[in-house]
Amino acid sequence: LGEIARGGMGVILKGHDTDLGRDIAVKVLDPELSKRPEVVQRFVEEAQIGGQLQHPGIVPVYELGIDLRDQPYFTMKLVQGKTLGEVFELNRRKDPAWAMPKVLGVIQRVCEAVAFAHEREVIHRDLKPLNVMVGEFGEVYVMDWGLARRLAAEAEQVEASDATDAVDEQLAAQVSLTREGRVVGTPCYMSPEQARGDIARMGPQSDVYAIGAMLYELAAGAPPYMRVGEQVSSHEILARIEAGPPDRLRSRSLAPELVAVLEKAMSYEPASRYPSVRDLGEDLELF
């Protein structure tokens, strides 16, 4: 019934389930990429992760299969609403429907969904406002688990990174940047270890950092390492991350407690961040 979105691995279409009489989202792998077994494997893993993470804040996967053109696909709940980025913009415009407490409540719900995934040994690796949807009835969904990775022993992670290097190169359009096949994610929201492509050090604290970066954007009006209205290349963002933490927030209109929360979440060293997304969410709730 038409195209919803397009990314580095394929396209998401709107479809209709004639048996149950409901509209659905259908993700189809790009025909060229479907010729590569390692890309098909990652696509299938995305569907499996979505199917196994049964949580109200994670979009359910309905079906995995092969279409009439022999292309892999999976179907999901069709989510309609605003992205968290659009919600941030409404907050900046002083829309009374999106005052700061309500927006922080959305991010707290994101923490709950991501904490659930972490309990099941899955990290997202691409958390950003574009990948959070807010429905008109208050639903909050963490979207796009295409870069998610199951946690494993360090040796297994390094070995797996070698196997996925070629796949990561194909995801450049989807994730905004790939360097040397190992940097995956969206630069402004990447933890320093993710920006360096340090697979062995990437874990739950990398997702903690990304949620802190979303809080930073909400508070500052621009993502970390960028100024309002600034146009910066992905490689320049990476260079700024390599140089050290982003500019500190100094606005008098910001609650110091909120600044303390996001700065702890965005600590440059993983060990200095919140030990878990659950702990970050609890501090947001207290605030």
Side-chain angles (χ1 to χ4, degrees):
L1 301 177
E3 184 176 311
I4 298 173
R6 184 172 291 270
M9 290 185 73
V11 61
I12 299 179
L13 306 170
K14 181 179 180 181
H16 186 73
D17 181 338
T18 56
D19 291 328
L20 296 177
R22 61 182 176 183
D23 289 339
I24 56 175
V26 186
K27 187 164 187 175
V28 183
L29 187 59
D30 181 272
E32 288 302 312
L33 293 180
S34 66
K35 299 173 183 177
R36 303 181 59 180
E38 70 275 17
V39 181
V40 174
Q41 179 182 351
R42 172 169 285 204
F43 185 82
V44 170
E45 287 176 354
E46 178 186 355
Q48 290 174 335
I49 286 171
Q52 293 164 11
L53 295 178
Q54 297 291 301
H55 185 275
I58 299 173
V59 179
V61 171
Y62 296 145
E63 179 185 18
L64 172 65
I66 303 291
D67 67 18
L68 296 177
R69 301 170 301 160
D70 291 329
Q71 303 301 318
Y73 76 91
F74 60 88
T75 64
M76 304 170 283
K77 178 176 180 176
L78 179 63
V79 176
Q80 296 176 313
K82 298 178 177 65
T83 68
L84 186 57
E86 292 171 322
V87 167
F88 284 177
E89 180 60 29
L90 291 171
N91 172 265
R92 283 192 286 271
R93 295 177 182 177
K94 309 296 184 184
D95 187 323
W98 288 106
M100 183 67 82
K102 185 174 180 180
V103 182
L104 291 175
V106 170
I107 298 177
Q108 185 191 346
R109 300 272 295 279
V110 171
C111 290
E112 293 170 357
V114 175
F116 179 87
H118 288 179
E119 287 286 329
R120 281 144 186 83
E121 300 290 300
V122 173
I123 56 174
H124 189 284
R125 300 204 302 168
D126 196 23
L127 293 169
K128 57 187 177 183
L130 185 63
N131 282 343
V132 176
M133 291 290 294
V134 183
E136 57 184 287
F137 296 102
E139 318 96 300
V140 177
Y141 293 104
V142 178
M143 312 286 290
D144 198 347
W145 294 79
L147 296 182
R149 179 187 289 276
R150 289 186 171 88
L151 296 172
E154 183 174 322
E156 292 175 330
Q157 287 180 317
V158 173
E159 182 179 350
S161 73
D162 294 336
T164 58
D165 282 351
V167 186
D168 292 341
E169 291 171 5
Q170 294 292 334
L171 299 175
Q174 176 182 344
V175 303
S176 301
L177 178 74
T178 301
R179 184 182 66 189
E180 298 174 0
R182 297 199 179 194
V183 179
V184 292
T186 302
C188 288
Y189 309 97
M190 279 186 195
S191 64
E193 64 273 16
Q194 189 170 359
R196 290 191 295 266
D198 189 348
I199 298 293
R201 298 190 71 196
M202 283 170 52
Q205 277 73 31
S206 300
D207 283 347
V208 168
Y209 183 98
I211 295 173
M214 290 194 284
L215 286 167
Y216 185 105
E217 180 176 353
L218 173 63
Y225 298 101
M226 292 182 67
R227 297 178 181 85
V228 177
E230 186 181 23
Q231 298 293 321
V232 188
S233 72
S234 295
H235 290 281
E236 173 61 24
I237 295 294
L238 278 184
R240 293 179 183 182
I241 295 173
E242 191 68 25
D247 294 338
R248 298 195 66 179
L249 298 173
R250 303 183 185 278
S251 172
R252 293 182 181 178
S253 64
L254 293 173
E257 297 89 348
L258 179 60
V259 174
V261 168
L262 71 88
E263 286 186 343
K264 182 174 181 178
M266 290 186 69
S267 293
Y268 206 70
E269 289 298 323
S272 299
R273 297 173 202 153
Y274 285 97
S276 71
V277 171
R278 186 188 296 273
D279 292 321
L280 169 56
E282 287 175 355
D283 264 11
L284 275 180
E285 182 177 11
L286 288 171
F287 173 72

